[in-house]
Amino acid sequence: MKVAIVCRLMPLYRFGLFKELSRTNEDFCFTMFGDTSELNGIRGINSKYLAPFEIDEINWIRTKNIFSRYGHFLWQKGIVRKIIGSEYKVFVFEGAIRHFPIWVFAILCKFFGKKVIFWTHGDKGDDQGIKRIIRFIFFKYLGSSLFLYGDYQKQVMVKRGFDNFKIFVIYNSLNPIKQFGILENITKKESTLIKQNMFLDEGDLTVIFVGRLIKTKGVHQLLQSVSILKKIGYLLNVIIIGDGPEVMNLKTFTLNEDLDKQIMFLGEIHEEIELARYFSISDIMISPGNVGLNCIHSLTYGVPVLTHDDMIFQGPEVESIKNLETGIFYERNNFDDLVRKIEYCCNNFVRNKTSIQRCQKVVKDIYNPKNQVEAIVSGIKRTLYN
């Protein structure tokens, strides 16, 4: 049976999943649909990976998106044709409220007898008013079932009236097999040299942040914490990977607080080998704001994660963090607690073989493409055959 996975874009971070879906499956043949464009800093998969399928290629039909001058998603060419035809029996759509074409596609699918599954973040508990009503009606009555990224969203949505047996948690993933292989090839000598070339004291706790430099990520709070801890005798090495509107403010703060020997701004880095080198010298990733796939990225390289504890304002990947095992939580909007928790890490977090294995275990067990595909296949079967 043919299944269409319809995405606005073909983001590079889903390459591992799309590759796994493209492999021969005894029950379903998956085809991905999506544009190759880059949007909001999200890199797309190179079109050289289009099928015909080989070892590193994906079963993908390229589509064309139409956006308004303000960036609103208006239409996706080529999907209606696939709905009207009888080739695909199941359509999996990225279900975001503002993706207006998805609702048109879903209505057409219902008319032509196709099964519709929404792949979505769902309701984390912060939906109010008209947004909550629209999400409830569209997801409950246009979709045959839902694919969610995390268990917390499922609990919220079941409490709000969704059918427990029509919600399937499929989690999220990157490309861990590739990443594990890269990490294994980085020698201890190489990591030591990288750290020595970057910082004055390689023995200090090394913190990494990876993500967009925007206010909601709370990087300024991280730098303020570093400044306060320095005054009481705790020196930290900090690696900032990413770019965004806050970069100049953060650099200015760093200079004003005389932290430029401790904090390194490396800009955007997309090459996995280079990212792996910086993760390999890091003891912890700190993201005072929300985490997303950067959390899985960090755990894949054996680096625990510090972030806030409010699930409503978190990405679903935060569920991969087990307090004091694969990371540590601080109380959201409590800056003093953030400082205390970073101080705790200075005294207790050490990168070693055991800590690396503990972090990687959650990726090997749950947050990987193979597990995602198994969850997707199981969800489709239950949707089709009750």
Side-chain angles (χ1 to χ4, degrees):
M1 183 179 292
K2 289 194 172 185
V3 177
I5 309 286
V6 181
C7 307
R8 280 192 312 163
L9 306 174
M10 295 293 287
L12 185 59
Y13 67 81
R14 282 186 180 158
F15 181 83
L17 172 62
F18 290 160
K19 180 179 171 183
E20 189 72 27
L21 282 168
S22 297
R23 292 179 176 175
T24 302
N25 182 288
E26 62 182 15
D27 298 301
F28 304 108
C29 175
F30 292 94
T31 301
M32 275 50 72
F33 293 83
D35 200 327
T36 58
S37 303
E38 183 173 320
L39 183 66
N40 297 329
I42 300 174
R43 291 181 72 199
I45 298 172
N46 194 302
S47 57
K48 72 180 182 180
Y49 293 110
L50 282 164
F53 177 75
E54 291 179 9
I55 190 167
D56 262 343
E57 293 183 339
I58 56 180
N59 199 18
W60 164 23
I61 294 176
R62 186 164 47 189
T63 59
K64 176 69 176 175
N65 290 339
I66 300 174
F67 292 92
S68 73
R69 60 183 295 186
Y70 304 106
H72 298 302
F73 182 35
L74 297 180
W75 196 249
Q76 187 170 9
K77 292 183 176 180
I79 304 303
V80 171
R81 210 165 43 240
K82 298 298 180 182
I83 295 172
I84 294 175
S86 60
E87 189 176 16
Y88 295 92
K89 303 297 184 185
V90 179
F91 282 80
V92 179
F93 295 113
E94 289 181 323
I97 291 292
R98 294 184 181 181
H99 294 183
F100 304 116
I102 302 304
W103 311 119
V104 177
F105 298 155
I107 292 169
L108 282 173
C109 284
K110 297 289 279 188
F111 182 80
F112 285 98
K114 314 289 187 178
K115 291 290 185 180
V116 172
I117 300 175
F118 291 120
W119 181 4
T120 175
H121 282 274
D123 183 353
K124 296 188 292 184
D126 57 344
D127 277 359
Q128 300 296 331
I130 190 67
K131 183 179 179 181
R132 180 173 173 178
I133 294 169
I134 291 173
R135 195 192 297 273
F136 183 85
I137 292 172
F138 282 4
F139 283 177
K140 187 174 179 68
Y141 298 107
L142 286 182
S144 303
S145 56
L146 299 176
F147 286 160
L148 298 183
Y149 290 98
D151 293 295
Y152 177 77
Q153 290 106 314
K154 179 174 180 176
Q155 294 169 13
V156 170
M157 295 184 78
V158 169
K159 286 180 181 177
R160 291 192 167 185
F162 287 88
D163 188 340
N164 179 61
F165 297 102
K166 293 183 179 180
I167 299 179
F168 309 101
V169 178
I170 65 170
Y171 302 103
N172 212 345
S173 68
L174 289 167
N175 197 354
I177 293 177
K178 176 183 177 180
Q179 293 163 322
F180 291 151
I182 292 172
L183 185 61
E184 286 178 4
N185 288 324
I186 299 174
T187 64
K188 187 174 181 179
K189 181 179 179 181
E190 184 181 356
S191 294
T192 300
L193 285 173
I194 294 170
K195 192 179 272 193
Q196 288 175 344
N197 290 332
M198 292 181 70
F199 301 110
L200 294 175
D201 191 342
E202 63 180 274
D204 294 334
L205 186 83
T206 300
V207 172
I208 190 170
F209 170 84
V210 180
R212 286 276 291 161
L213 300 183
I214 53 179
K215 285 187 178 181
T216 55
K217 292 296 183 181
V219 181
H220 193 269
Q221 296 173 42
L222 168 59
L223 302 193
Q224 286 179 306
S225 301
V226 173
S227 178
I228 290 171
L229 289 166
K230 181 180 180 180
K231 293 170 184 175
I232 61 173
Y234 290 96
L235 298 180
L236 289 85
N237 301 323
V238 182
I239 300 168
I240 307 291
I241 297 176
D243 201 354
E246 284 294 295
V247 65
M248 291 311 301
N249 291 334
L250 296 171
K251 287 183 176 180
T252 300
F253 178 86
T254 298
L255 290 172
N256 291 342
E257 295 293 313
D258 194 26
L259 298 173
D260 53 303
K261 297 290 193 297
Q262 293 176 247
I263 299 171
M264 298 294 154
F265 291 88
L266 304 183
E268 289 187 349
I269 298 175
H270 297 292
E271 294 302 321
E272 197 62 44
I273 292 176
E274 195 172 354
L275 285 166
R277 291 192 181 106
Y278 294 117
F279 273 115
S280 76
I281 65 171
S282 301
D283 298 297
I284 188 165
M285 185 182 86
I286 298 181
S287 183
N290 67 312
V291 295
L293 269 174
N294 60 341
C295 179
I296 306 303
H297 209 167
S298 186
L299 294 178
T300 302
Y301 287 115
V303 180
V305 179
L306 188 158
T307 189
H308 73 75
D309 62 357
D310 192 332
M311 297 293 285
I312 291 177
F313 298 96
Q314 277 289 4
E317 294 80 7
V318 74
E319 294 177 15
S320 63
I321 301 173
K322 293 184 178 179
N323 199 40
L324 301 181
E325 291 185 27
T326 59
I328 185 168
F329 292 107
Y330 81 97
E331 184 181 359
R332 181 174 176 265
N333 292 332
N334 186 337
F335 178 73
D336 291 338
D337 192 44
L338 173 62
V339 175
R340 283 194 295 269
K341 294 299 167 58
I342 296 176
E343 182 181 351
Y344 176 88
C345 294
C346 290
N347 294 321
N348 296 280
F349 277 56
V350 179
R351 184 180 178 88
N352 56 40
K353 186 176 181 180
T354 301
S355 68
I356 292 171
Q357 290 176 341
R358 190 162 51 230
C359 291
Q360 289 181 334
K361 187 177 187 301
V362 72
V363 177
K364 292 176 179 178
D365 290 349
I366 300 173
Y367 293 89
N368 61 77
K370 185 177 180 182
N371 186 63
Q372 253 193 302
V373 170
E374 289 176 357
I376 288 170
V377 169
S378 174
I380 293 174
K381 285 182 177 179
R382 290 170 64 184
T383 300
L384 287 170
Y385 310 122
N386 198 26

